[in-house]
Amino acid sequence: MSEEQICRQCGHCCERWGWGQAGSPADLRPWIDHSRKDILQHVTVYLDNGQKTSGTRITADDLHRMTKVRYWQDPSGRPLRHCPFLGRSRDGKAFCGIHDMRPAVCRDYAPWNCGDGEYQNVRCLACRERTP
């Protein structure tokens, strides 16, 4: 995040892009190691044998066999159209329920770093204050 841009915790980024994201096996490693079934139940994994499965059914031994990882699904395997970990505090500010273990796609994202102007479609409060 640049010093000129300060996240206002509006949550519009996560509302727009907090679902249907491509993931990586590297993201899953700490979730597996810490038995974070609450996170893994929202992950779809595709293995090299063509099998599609829930993140709750994989082990660390499966990481090298993954061909695709998708975020986020409901526990029955249906894709979600929202991030299941996006919450709101009483003052209306957005927060991430898995902030300490969020995937790289979330850690590395900031709307003002988009080179294609897509940030304008996010309704980001920080971007309104100062256009990147």
Side-chain angles (χ1 to χ4, degrees):
M1 184 179 317
S2 72
E3 292 198 24
E4 293 103 24
Q5 296 298 113
I6 298 170
C7 178
R8 303 290 183 221
Q9 291 180 269
C10 66
H12 295 306
C13 299
C14 297
E15 289 169 353
R16 182 167 175 99
W17 289 299
W19 54 274
Q21 295 291 325
S24 75
D27 288 334
L28 277 58
R29 184 62 187 239
W31 301 341
I32 293 168
D33 290 348
H34 291 93
S35 299
R36 292 298 304 265
K37 301 277 187 194
D38 60 318
I39 302 173
L40 291 166
Q41 71 177 339
H42 295 292
V43 176
T44 300
V45 175
Y46 298 83
L47 301 173
D48 58 5
N49 64 359
Q51 181 184 5
K52 174 183 170 184
T53 190
S54 169
T56 59
R57 294 189 184 121
I58 58 166
T59 67
D61 292 336
D62 295 318
L63 293 173
H64 74 280
R65 297 182 49 226
M66 294 180 190
T67 59
K68 185 164 57 167
V69 176
R70 300 295 295 174
Y71 308 132
W72 301 110
Q73 69 179 19
D74 70 15
S76 70
R78 289 185 303 256
L80 294 173
R81 302 254 325 147
H82 66 281
C83 175
F85 306 107
L86 176 63
R88 295 252 176 218
S89 60
R90 287 188 180 153
D91 63 2
K93 290 189 176 186
F95 67 89
C96 176
I98 59 168
H99 191 272
D100 62 327
M101 294 191 112
R102 68 193 188 277
V105 68
C106 299
R107 276 193 318 270
D108 298 340
Y109 180 77
W112 45 83
N113 291 335
C114 292
D116 60 5
E118 182 63 20
Y119 66 88
Q120 295 171 346
N121 296 324
V122 180
R123 302 182 328 268
C124 171
L125 299 178
C127 290
R128 283 185 191 170
E129 292 170 2
R130 184 180 186 103
T131 302

